[in-house]
Amino acid sequence: MPPARCPDDREQSRAAVAARYADLARAAQAGLSVNDCDPDTFAVGGFGRTGYPDTGDLPDGAVRVSLGCGNPVAVADLCPGETVLDLGCGGGIDVLLSARRVGPAGKAYGLDMTGEMLDLARSHARQAGADNAEFLLGRIEAIPLPDCSVDVIISNCVINLSTDRPAVFAESFRVLRPGGRLGVTDILAEDRLTAAQRLDRGGQVGCIAGAPSFTEYRDGLATAGFTAIAITPTHLVAAGVHSAVIRAARS
């Protein structure tokens, strides 16, 4: 008798994440207050609108459905004329801010696997008059853009949700032009925490879902080919778990 096979739960985890964020998008469309974790953590951990000083002229819905753990637009130091890609754009707040920064000569893409979030994002872009913003349906592990087509990649508390982070890093490197850069915010665990201890801090869907360690994140970027990697913790989210700013470059 052949040995029993362990089921691959990656698709189940991905489906759970997609279902959760589809529910949040529907709640936002209904005008409800939206956040994705414990309210106290959300308030003090740099999550959501607390990470942005410059949202006054954005559609209220885009601000209300912001579920990130920082402000990657500020991290990435965007310049006029650049092409930027937001991995896991959700309701589009970072795409709208990016579109404003890169100006009419630039382009801001948002990629998300959740159709409901993309519907929100496109609506917000229309309200904001962001003609240089475009939203794509797809997975961050298989980016639907050509090689060397993007100057900057941003992401806001999304890569930690992926069940295949090496693929995310490899795809990010592929679509970046030589000299391009990555500037993201994410949730990372201290190296001292075991896998079981990380799991105790949160489930697969939520603020600290699947938090990789600092070393795992750094090594993953380096393996994909990134250089000038810098990881800076910003807020304590749970014991031994931090929101952080991550910068890297493609030479």
Side-chain angles (χ1 to χ4, degrees):
M1 177 180 296
R5 298 178 63 186
C6 294
D8 184 350
D9 64 356
R10 286 186 176 184
E11 288 302 324
Q12 289 182 337
S13 295
R14 186 178 292 121
V17 171
R20 171 63 174 160
Y21 286 96
D23 286 344
L24 292 172
R26 285 189 284 268
Q29 286 175 326
L32 302 177
S33 178
V34 176
N35 74 53
D36 191 33
C37 54
D38 175 81
D40 291 337
T41 300
F42 203 83
V44 302
F47 288 87
R49 70 179 67 198
T50 63
Y52 300 93
D54 54 352
T55 60
D57 58 347
L58 293 181
D60 176 70
V63 179
R64 191 156 33 83
V65 78
S66 171
L67 299 170
C69 56
N71 183 352
V73 179
V75 170
D77 297 323
L78 299 177
C79 299
E82 289 188 316
T83 297
V84 58
L85 168 64
D86 181 13
L87 301 180
C89 65
I93 185 171
D94 293 311
V95 177
L96 299 185
L97 290 170
S98 296
R100 187 166 68 189
R101 290 280 186 95
V102 301
K107 180 82 171 184
Y109 288 105
L111 173 65
D112 206 278
M113 68 174 178
T114 308
E116 290 85 350
M117 279 294 184
L118 289 177
D119 289 342
L120 274 180
R122 290 177 178 127
S123 173
H124 296 151
R126 287 192 296 271
Q127 293 174 50
D131 296 332
N132 60 337
E134 182 176 344
F135 296 93
L136 308 170
L137 179 64
R139 296 188 294 109
I140 63 175
E141 300 86 357
I143 299 171
L145 286 173
D147 295 357
C148 303
S149 57
V150 173
D151 296 302
V152 186
I153 286 178
I154 64 171
S155 186
N156 200 347
C157 205
V158 171
I159 296 174
N160 76 88
L161 292 168
S162 174
T163 58
D164 190 357
R165 279 184 290 271
V168 178
F169 296 143
E171 280 288 276
S172 297
F173 190 86
R174 178 186 66 80
V175 301
L176 276 175
R177 297 183 177 113
R181 61 196 185 276
L182 176 145
V184 307
T185 54
D186 216 341
I187 300 297
L188 280 71
E190 295 174 12
D191 291 342
R192 64 181 175 81
L193 295 185
T194 66
Q197 288 172 326
R198 283 188 246 169
L199 187 61
D200 284 343
R201 272 49 173 194
Q204 180 57 39
V205 179
C207 284
I208 56 177
S213 72
F214 282 79
T215 295
E216 287 170 349
Y217 215 100
R218 181 183 297 276
D219 288 351
L221 287 167
T223 297
F226 284 97
T227 59
I229 301 165
I231 300 177
T232 307
T234 54
H235 298 87
L236 185 67
V237 177
V241 180
H242 305 259
S243 54
V245 166
I246 301 101
R247 294 180 173 90
R250 174 174 177 174
S251 300

PDB file of all heavy atoms in Angstrom, residues 84-121:
ATOM      1  N   VAL A  84       4.873  52.105 -11.054  1.00  0.00           N
ATOM      2  CA  VAL A  84       4.870  51.449  -9.747  1.00  0.00           C
ATOM      3  C   VAL A  84       3.805  50.366  -9.730  1.00  0.00           C
ATOM      4  O   VAL A  84       2.738  50.505 -10.342  1.00  0.00           O
ATOM      5  CB  VAL A  84       4.642  52.485  -8.615  1.00  0.00           C
ATOM      6  CG1 VAL A  84       3.347  53.246  -8.803  1.00  0.00           C
ATOM      7  CG2 VAL A  84       4.668  51.828  -7.247  1.00  0.00           C
ATOM      8  N   LEU A  85       4.079  49.290  -9.022  1.00  0.00           N
ATOM      9  CA  LEU A  85       3.151  48.166  -8.875  1.00  0.00           C
ATOM     10  C   LEU A  85       2.918  47.904  -7.399  1.00  0.00           C
ATOM     11  O   LEU A  85       3.875  47.713  -6.640  1.00  0.00           O
ATOM     12  CB  LEU A  85       3.727  46.916  -9.539  1.00  0.00           C
ATOM     13  CG  LEU A  85       3.025  45.582  -9.231  1.00  0.00           C
ATOM     14  CD1 LEU A  85       1.598  45.574  -9.763  1.00  0.00           C
ATOM     15  CD2 LEU A  85       3.829  44.411  -9.797  1.00  0.00           C
ATOM     16  N   ASP A  86       1.645  47.868  -7.001  1.00  0.00           N
ATOM     17  CA  ASP A  86       1.264  47.555  -5.626  1.00  0.00           C
ATOM     18  C   ASP A  86       0.790  46.107  -5.571  1.00  0.00           C
ATOM     19  O   ASP A  86      -0.224  45.749  -6.186  1.00  0.00           O
ATOM     20  CB  ASP A  86       0.153  48.508  -5.170  1.00  0.00           C
ATOM     21  CG  ASP A  86      -0.298  48.264  -3.736  1.00  0.00           C
ATOM     22  OD1 ASP A  86       0.407  47.538  -3.002  1.00  0.00           O
ATOM     23  OD2 ASP A  86      -1.356  48.798  -3.355  1.00  0.00           O
ATOM     24  N   LEU A  87       1.499  45.270  -4.833  1.00  0.00           N
ATOM     25  CA  LEU A  87       1.140  43.864  -4.681  1.00  0.00           C
ATOM     26  C   LEU A  87       0.089  43.720  -3.593  1.00  0.00           C
ATOM     27  O   LEU A  87       0.335  44.043  -2.428  1.00  0.00           O
ATOM     28  CB  LEU A  87       2.374  43.034  -4.315  1.00  0.00           C
ATOM     29  CG  LEU A  87       3.543  43.048  -5.296  1.00  0.00           C
ATOM     30  CD1 LEU A  87       4.678  42.159  -4.775  1.00  0.00           C
ATOM     31  CD2 LEU A  87       3.097  42.602  -6.678  1.00  0.00           C
ATOM     32  N   GLY A  88      -1.099  43.238  -3.961  1.00  0.00           N
ATOM     33  CA  GLY A  88      -2.192  43.100  -3.004  1.00  0.00           C
ATOM     34  C   GLY A  88      -2.792  44.446  -2.677  1.00  0.00           C
ATOM     35  O   GLY A  88      -2.805  44.884  -1.527  1.00  0.00           O
ATOM     36  N   CYS A  89      -3.326  45.117  -3.698  1.00  0.00           N
ATOM     37  CA  CYS A  89      -3.704  46.532  -3.570  1.00  0.00           C
ATOM     38  C   CYS A  89      -4.966  46.767  -2.771  1.00  0.00           C
ATOM     39  O   CYS A  89      -5.229  47.895  -2.355  1.00  0.00           O
ATOM     40  CB  CYS A  89      -3.843  47.146  -4.960  1.00  0.00           C
ATOM     41  SG  CYS A  89      -5.199  46.458  -5.950  1.00  0.00           S
ATOM     42  N   GLY A  90      -5.792  45.730  -2.550  1.00  0.00           N
ATOM     43  CA  GLY A  90      -7.016  45.929  -1.794  1.00  0.00           C
ATOM     44  C   GLY A  90      -7.883  47.017  -2.388  1.00  0.00           C
ATOM     45  O   GLY A  90      -8.104  47.074  -3.600  1.00  0.00           O
ATOM     46  N   GLY A  91      -8.365  47.921  -1.538  1.00  0.00           N
ATOM     47  CA  GLY A  91      -9.249  48.986  -1.985  1.00  0.00           C
ATOM     48  C   GLY A  91      -8.569  50.124  -2.714  1.00  0.00           C
ATOM     49  O   GLY A  91      -9.232  51.069  -3.125  1.00  0.00           O
ATOM     50  N   GLY A  92      -7.242  50.060  -2.862  1.00  0.00           N
ATOM     51  CA  GLY A  92      -6.543  50.967  -3.759  1.00  0.00           C
ATOM     52  C   GLY A  92      -5.891  52.193  -3.171  1.00  0.00           C
ATOM     53  O   GLY A  92      -5.361  53.023  -3.915  1.00  0.00           O
ATOM     54  N   ILE A  93      -5.864  52.345  -1.848  1.00  0.00           N
ATOM     55  CA  ILE A  93      -5.339  53.587  -1.294  1.00  0.00           C
ATOM     56  C   ILE A  93      -3.892  53.839  -1.713  1.00  0.00           C
ATOM     57  O   ILE A  93      -3.519  54.960  -2.087  1.00  0.00           O
ATOM     58  CB  ILE A  93      -5.477  53.619   0.251  1.00  0.00           C
ATOM     59  CG1 ILE A  93      -5.019  54.988   0.793  1.00  0.00           C
ATOM     60  CG2 ILE A  93      -4.728  52.473   0.909  1.00  0.00           C
ATOM     61  CD1 ILE A  93      -5.317  55.193   2.268  1.00  0.00           C
ATOM     62  N   ASP A  94      -3.049  52.800  -1.705  1.00  0.00           N
ATOM     63  CA  ASP A  94      -1.650  53.000  -2.050  1.00  0.00           C
ATOM     64  C   ASP A  94      -1.465  53.239  -3.545  1.00  0.00           C
ATOM     65  O   ASP A  94      -0.531  53.950  -3.952  1.00  0.00           O
ATOM     66  CB  ASP A  94      -0.819  51.803  -1.583  1.00  0.00           C
ATOM     67  CG  ASP A  94      -0.767  51.705  -0.072  1.00  0.00           C
ATOM     68  OD1 ASP A  94      -0.486  52.727   0.577  1.00  0.00           O
ATOM     69  OD2 ASP A  94      -1.030  50.620   0.467  1.00  0.00           O
ATOM     70  N   VAL A  95      -2.340  52.678  -4.361  1.00  0.00           N
ATOM     71  CA  VAL A  95      -2.289  52.950  -5.799  1.00  0.00           C
ATOM     72  C   VAL A  95      -2.658  54.403  -6.069  1.00  0.00           C
ATOM     73  O   VAL A  95      -2.013  55.086  -6.875  1.00  0.00           O
ATOM     74  CB  VAL A  95      -3.219  51.997  -6.568  1.00  0.00           C
ATOM     75  CG1 VAL A  95      -3.226  52.335  -8.059  1.00  0.00           C
ATOM     76  CG2 VAL A  95      -2.796  50.548  -6.366  1.00  0.00           C
ATOM     77  N   LEU A  96      -3.684  54.898  -5.402  1.00  0.00           N
ATOM     78  CA  LEU A  96      -4.095  56.288  -5.606  1.00  0.00           C
ATOM     79  C   LEU A  96      -3.006  57.261  -5.161  1.00  0.00           C
ATOM     80  O   LEU A  96      -2.718  58.249  -5.850  1.00  0.00           O
ATOM     81  CB  LEU A  96      -5.391  56.569  -4.852  1.00  0.00           C
ATOM     82  CG  LEU A  96      -6.612  55.738  -5.257  1.00  0.00           C
ATOM     83  CD1 LEU A  96      -7.846  56.217  -4.509  1.00  0.00           C
ATOM     84  CD2 LEU A  96      -6.847  55.779  -6.756  1.00  0.00           C
ATOM     85  N   LEU A  97      -2.398  56.979  -4.011  1.00  0.00           N
ATOM     86  CA  LEU A  97      -1.308  57.843  -3.554  1.00  0.00           C
ATOM     87  C   LEU A  97      -0.114  57.761  -4.505  1.00  0.00           C
ATOM     88  O   LEU A  97       0.551  58.758  -4.785  1.00  0.00           O
ATOM     89  CB  LEU A  97      -0.890  57.446  -2.143  1.00  0.00           C
ATOM     90  CG  LEU A  97      -1.900  57.771  -1.036  1.00  0.00           C
ATOM     91  CD1 LEU A  97      -1.483  57.114   0.273  1.00  0.00           C
ATOM     92  CD2 LEU A  97      -2.065  59.273  -0.851  1.00  0.00           C
ATOM     93  N   SER A  98       0.153  56.549  -5.017  1.00  0.00           N
ATOM     94  CA  SER A  98       1.259  56.375  -5.960  1.00  0.00           C
ATOM     95  C   SER A  98       0.981  57.105  -7.260  1.00  0.00           C
ATOM     96  O   SER A  98       1.878  57.760  -7.831  1.00  0.00           O
ATOM     97  CB  SER A  98       1.478  54.885  -6.250  1.00  0.00           C
ATOM     98  OG  SER A  98       1.866  54.184  -5.094  1.00  0.00           O
ATOM     99  N   ALA A  99      -0.250  56.994  -7.755  1.00  0.00           N
ATOM    100  CA  ALA A  99      -0.616  57.668  -8.998  1.00  0.00           C
ATOM    101  C   ALA A  99      -0.404  59.171  -8.878  1.00  0.00           C
ATOM    102  O   ALA A  99       0.049  59.834  -9.820  1.00  0.00           O
ATOM    103  CB  ALA A  99      -2.066  57.348  -9.357  1.00  0.00           C
ATOM    104  N   ARG A 100      -0.713  59.704  -7.704  1.00  0.00           N
ATOM    105  CA  ARG A 100      -0.513  61.129  -7.463  1.00  0.00           C
ATOM    106  C   ARG A 100       0.971  61.477  -7.461  1.00  0.00           C
ATOM    107  O   ARG A 100       1.381  62.501  -8.019  1.00  0.00           O
ATOM    108  CB  ARG A 100      -1.153  61.501  -6.128  1.00  0.00           C
ATOM    109  CG  ARG A 100      -1.172  62.985  -5.838  1.00  0.00           C
ATOM    110  CD  ARG A 100      -2.112  63.287  -4.689  1.00  0.00           C
ATOM    111  NE  ARG A 100      -1.643  62.756  -3.406  1.00  0.00           N
ATOM    112  CZ  ARG A 100      -2.361  62.738  -2.300  1.00  0.00           C
ATOM    113  NH1 ARG A 100      -3.619  63.197  -2.328  1.00  0.00           N
ATOM    114  NH2 ARG A 100      -1.869  62.261  -1.186  1.00  0.00           N
ATOM    115  N   ARG A 101       1.790  60.612  -6.874  1.00  0.00           N
ATOM    116  CA  ARG A 101       3.228  60.880  -6.773  1.00  0.00           C
ATOM    117  C   ARG A 101       3.920  60.793  -8.135  1.00  0.00           C
ATOM    118  O   ARG A 101       4.799  61.605  -8.439  1.00  0.00           O
ATOM    119  CB  ARG A 101       3.885  59.887  -5.816  1.00  0.00           C
ATOM    120  CG  ARG A 101       3.525  60.053  -4.351  1.00  0.00           C
ATOM    121  CD  ARG A 101       4.307  61.176  -3.690  1.00  0.00           C
ATOM    122  NE  ARG A 101       4.050  61.230  -2.267  1.00  0.00           N
ATOM    123  CZ  ARG A 101       4.809  60.640  -1.343  1.00  0.00           C
ATOM    124  NH1 ARG A 101       5.875  59.960  -1.720  1.00  0.00           N
ATOM    125  NH2 ARG A 101       4.508  60.733  -0.071  1.00  0.00           N
ATOM    126  N   VAL A 102       3.561  59.785  -8.951  1.00  0.00           N
ATOM    127  CA  VAL A 102       4.272  59.600 -10.228  1.00  0.00           C
ATOM    128  C   VAL A 102       3.741  60.513 -11.315  1.00  0.00           C
ATOM    129  O   VAL A 102       4.398  60.711 -12.340  1.00  0.00           O
ATOM    130  CB  VAL A 102       4.226  58.124 -10.690  1.00  0.00           C
ATOM    131  CG1 VAL A 102       4.852  57.223  -9.642  1.00  0.00           C
ATOM    132  CG2 VAL A 102       2.810  57.673 -11.021  1.00  0.00           C
ATOM    133  N   GLY A 103       2.550  61.082 -11.114  1.00  0.00           N
ATOM    134  CA  GLY A 103       2.019  62.078 -12.032  1.00  0.00           C
ATOM    135  C   GLY A 103       1.537  61.504 -13.352  1.00  0.00           C
ATOM    136  O   GLY A 103       1.616  60.305 -13.599  1.00  0.00           O
ATOM    137  N   PRO A 104       1.046  62.371 -14.225  1.00  0.00           N
ATOM    138  CA  PRO A 104       0.447  61.910 -15.480  1.00  0.00           C
ATOM    139  C   PRO A 104       1.427  61.207 -16.404  1.00  0.00           C
ATOM    140  O   PRO A 104       1.017  60.413 -17.262  1.00  0.00           O
ATOM    141  CB  PRO A 104      -0.086  63.194 -16.122  1.00  0.00           C
ATOM    142  CG  PRO A 104       0.634  64.306 -15.430  1.00  0.00           C
ATOM    143  CD  PRO A 104       0.922  63.826 -14.052  1.00  0.00           C
ATOM    144  N   ALA A 105       2.707  61.443 -16.262  1.00  0.00           N
ATOM    145  CA  ALA A 105       3.700  60.751 -17.083  1.00  0.00           C
ATOM    146  C   ALA A 105       4.051  59.377 -16.530  1.00  0.00           C
ATOM    147  O   ALA A 105       4.736  58.600 -17.194  1.00  0.00           O
ATOM    148  CB  ALA A 105       4.978  61.588 -17.199  1.00  0.00           C
ATOM    149  N   GLY A 106       3.573  59.078 -15.329  1.00  0.00           N
ATOM    150  CA  GLY A 106       3.842  57.797 -14.701  1.00  0.00           C
ATOM    151  C   GLY A 106       2.631  56.884 -14.742  1.00  0.00           C
ATOM    152  O   GLY A 106       1.585  57.211 -15.311  1.00  0.00           O
ATOM    153  N   LYS A 107       2.766  55.723 -14.130  1.00  0.00           N
ATOM    154  CA  LYS A 107       1.706  54.705 -14.131  1.00  0.00           C
ATOM    155  C   LYS A 107       1.713  53.993 -12.785  1.00  0.00           C
ATOM    156  O   LYS A 107       2.778  53.682 -12.240  1.00  0.00           O
ATOM    157  CB  LYS A 107       1.968  53.690 -15.249  1.00  0.00           C
ATOM    158  CG  LYS A 107       0.951  52.589 -15.370  1.00  0.00           C
ATOM    159  CD  LYS A 107      -0.256  53.037 -16.157  1.00  0.00           C
ATOM    160  CE  LYS A 107      -1.200  51.885 -16.474  1.00  0.00           C
ATOM    161  NZ  LYS A 107      -2.331  52.297 -17.327  1.00  0.00           N
ATOM    162  N   ALA A 108       0.518  53.742 -12.248  1.00  0.00           N
ATOM    163  CA  ALA A 108       0.387  53.004 -10.998  1.00  0.00           C
ATOM    164  C   ALA A 108      -0.515  51.800 -11.218  1.00  0.00           C
ATOM    165  O   ALA A 108      -1.691  51.956 -11.560  1.00  0.00           O
ATOM    166  CB  ALA A 108      -0.176  53.901  -9.898  1.00  0.00           C
ATOM    167  N   TYR A 109       0.048  50.611 -11.057  1.00  0.00           N
ATOM    168  CA  TYR A 109      -0.717  49.371 -11.159  1.00  0.00           C
ATOM    169  C   TYR A 109      -1.068  48.862  -9.768  1.00  0.00           C
ATOM    170  O   TYR A 109      -0.262  48.949  -8.837  1.00  0.00           O
ATOM    171  CB  TYR A 109       0.103  48.278 -11.852  1.00  0.00           C
ATOM    172  CG  TYR A 109       0.332  48.445 -13.325  1.00  0.00           C
ATOM    173  CD1 TYR A 109       1.568  48.853 -13.805  1.00  0.00           C
ATOM    174  CD2 TYR A 109      -0.682  48.160 -14.246  1.00  0.00           C
ATOM    175  CE1 TYR A 109       1.798  48.993 -15.167  1.00  0.00           C
ATOM    176  CE2 TYR A 109      -0.458  48.297 -15.613  1.00  0.00           C
ATOM    177  CZ  TYR A 109       0.782  48.714 -16.058  1.00  0.00           C
ATOM    178  OH  TYR A 109       1.001  48.847 -17.401  1.00  0.00           O
ATOM    179  N   GLY A 110      -2.266  48.294  -9.645  1.00  0.00           N
ATOM    180  CA  GLY A 110      -2.640  47.580  -8.446  1.00  0.00           C
ATOM    181  C   GLY A 110      -3.003  46.154  -8.804  1.00  0.00           C
ATOM    182  O   GLY A 110      -3.785  45.931  -9.730  1.00  0.00           O
ATOM    183  N   LEU A 111      -2.438  45.190  -8.098  1.00  0.00           N
ATOM    184  CA  LEU A 111      -2.698  43.763  -8.348  1.00  0.00           C
ATOM    185  C   LEU A 111      -3.374  43.161  -7.128  1.00  0.00           C
ATOM    186  O   LEU A 111      -2.901  43.341  -5.998  1.00  0.00           O
ATOM    187  CB  LEU A 111      -1.378  43.042  -8.633  1.00  0.00           C
ATOM    188  CG  LEU A 111      -1.437  41.512  -8.754  1.00  0.00           C
ATOM    189  CD1 LEU A 111      -2.278  41.088  -9.961  1.00  0.00           C
ATOM    190  CD2 LEU A 111      -0.020  40.937  -8.854  1.00  0.00           C
ATOM    191  N   ASP A 112      -4.466  42.458  -7.343  1.00  0.00           N
ATOM    192  CA  ASP A 112      -5.155  41.790  -6.243  1.00  0.00           C
ATOM    193  C   ASP A 112      -5.844  40.541  -6.780  1.00  0.00           C
ATOM    194  O   ASP A 112      -6.265  40.506  -7.942  1.00  0.00           O
ATOM    195  CB  ASP A 112      -6.187  42.725  -5.595  1.00  0.00           C
ATOM    196  CG  ASP A 112      -6.452  42.360  -4.140  1.00  0.00           C
ATOM    197  OD1 ASP A 112      -7.248  41.436  -3.899  1.00  0.00           O
ATOM    198  OD2 ASP A 112      -5.852  42.993  -3.242  1.00  0.00           O
ATOM    199  N   MET A 113      -5.970  39.524  -5.918  1.00  0.00           N
ATOM    200  CA  MET A 113      -6.627  38.287  -6.334  1.00  0.00           C
ATOM    201  C   MET A 113      -8.111  38.275  -5.994  1.00  0.00           C
ATOM    202  O   MET A 113      -8.809  37.313  -6.289  1.00  0.00           O
ATOM    203  CB  MET A 113      -5.960  37.083  -5.675  1.00  0.00           C
ATOM    204  CG  MET A 113      -6.141  36.983  -4.176  1.00  0.00           C
ATOM    205  SD  MET A 113      -5.442  35.435  -3.555  1.00  0.00           S
ATOM    206  CE  MET A 113      -5.744  35.623  -1.784  1.00  0.00           C
ATOM    207  N   THR A 114      -8.598  39.356  -5.377  1.00  0.00           N
ATOM    208  CA  THR A 114      -9.977  39.407  -4.912  1.00  0.00           C
ATOM    209  C   THR A 114     -10.770  40.386  -5.774  1.00  0.00           C
ATOM    210  O   THR A 114     -10.551  41.595  -5.715  1.00  0.00           O
ATOM    211  CB  THR A 114     -10.030  39.851  -3.434  1.00  0.00           C
ATOM    212  OG1 THR A 114      -9.151  39.043  -2.668  1.00  0.00           O
ATOM    213  CG2 THR A 114     -11.441  39.702  -2.881  1.00  0.00           C
ATOM    214  N   GLY A 115     -11.694  39.841  -6.562  1.00  0.00           N
ATOM    215  CA  GLY A 115     -12.472  40.683  -7.469  1.00  0.00           C
ATOM    216  C   GLY A 115     -13.253  41.757  -6.763  1.00  0.00           C
ATOM    217  O   GLY A 115     -13.384  42.880  -7.266  1.00  0.00           O
ATOM    218  N   GLU A 116     -13.758  41.444  -5.568  1.00  0.00           N
ATOM    219  CA  GLU A 116     -14.548  42.423  -4.828  1.00  0.00           C
ATOM    220  C   GLU A 116     -13.694  43.629  -4.421  1.00  0.00           C
ATOM    221  O   GLU A 116     -14.148  44.773  -4.446  1.00  0.00           O
ATOM    222  CB  GLU A 116     -15.162  41.775  -3.583  1.00  0.00           C
ATOM    223  CG  GLU A 116     -16.262  40.764  -3.873  1.00  0.00           C
ATOM    224  CD  GLU A 116     -15.735  39.371  -4.169  1.00  0.00           C
ATOM    225  OE1 GLU A 116     -14.488  39.200  -4.333  1.00  0.00           O
ATOM    226  OE2 GLU A 116     -16.548  38.435  -4.255  1.00  0.00           O
ATOM    227  N   MET A 117     -12.440  43.363  -4.031  1.00  0.00           N
ATOM    228  CA  MET A 117     -11.548  44.471  -3.695  1.00  0.00           C
ATOM    229  C   MET A 117     -11.219  45.296  -4.931  1.00  0.00           C
ATOM    230  O   MET A 117     -11.158  46.536  -4.879  1.00  0.00           O
ATOM    231  CB  MET A 117     -10.264  43.951  -3.050  1.00  0.00           C
ATOM    232  CG  MET A 117     -10.384  43.625  -1.577  1.00  0.00           C
ATOM    233  SD  MET A 117     -10.679  45.101  -0.558  1.00  0.00           S
ATOM    234  CE  MET A 117     -10.655  44.364   1.089  1.00  0.00           C
ATOM    235  N   LEU A 118     -11.017  44.633  -6.063  1.00  0.00           N
ATOM    236  CA  LEU A 118     -10.720  45.371  -7.289  1.00  0.00           C
ATOM    237  C   LEU A 118     -11.889  46.240  -7.721  1.00  0.00           C
ATOM    238  O   LEU A 118     -11.692  47.347  -8.237  1.00  0.00           O
ATOM    239  CB  LEU A 118     -10.332  44.399  -8.397  1.00  0.00           C
ATOM    240  CG  LEU A 118      -8.961  43.730  -8.243  1.00  0.00           C
ATOM    241  CD1 LEU A 118      -8.731  42.736  -9.366  1.00  0.00           C
ATOM    242  CD2 LEU A 118      -7.843  44.758  -8.203  1.00  0.00           C
ATOM    243  N   ASP A 119     -13.116  45.752  -7.518  1.00  0.00           N
ATOM    244  CA  ASP A 119     -14.285  46.582  -7.826  1.00  0.00           C
ATOM    245  C   ASP A 119     -14.245  47.865  -6.998  1.00  0.00           C
ATOM    246  O   ASP A 119     -14.522  48.964  -7.513  1.00  0.00           O
ATOM    247  CB  ASP A 119     -15.575  45.815  -7.540  1.00  0.00           C
ATOM    248  CG  ASP A 119     -15.840  44.698  -8.535  1.00  0.00           C
ATOM    249  OD1 ASP A 119     -15.224  44.716  -9.631  1.00  0.00           O
ATOM    250  OD2 ASP A 119     -16.646  43.798  -8.221  1.00  0.00           O
ATOM    251  N   LEU A 120     -13.922  47.715  -5.712  1.00  0.00           N
ATOM    252  CA  LEU A 120     -13.799  48.892  -4.850  1.00  0.00           C
ATOM    253  C   LEU A 120     -12.695  49.819  -5.346  1.00  0.00           C
ATOM    254  O   LEU A 120     -12.875  51.036  -5.437  1.00  0.00           O
ATOM    255  CB  LEU A 120     -13.475  48.457  -3.417  1.00  0.00           C
ATOM    256  CG  LEU A 120     -14.593  48.085  -2.461  1.00  0.00           C
ATOM    257  CD1 LEU A 120     -13.993  47.703  -1.114  1.00  0.00           C
ATOM    258  CD2 LEU A 120     -15.585  49.212  -2.290  1.00  0.00           C
ATOM    259  N   ALA A 121     -11.540  49.236  -5.639  1.00  0.00           N
ATOM    260  CA  ALA A 121     -10.391  50.041  -6.047  1.00  0.00           C
ATOM    261  C   ALA A 121     -10.691  50.829  -7.320  1.00  0.00           C
ATOM    262  O   ALA A 121     -10.350  52.017  -7.431  1.00  0.00           O
ATOM    263  CB  ALA A 121      -9.180  49.140  -6.250  1.00  0.00           C
TER     264      ALA A 121
END
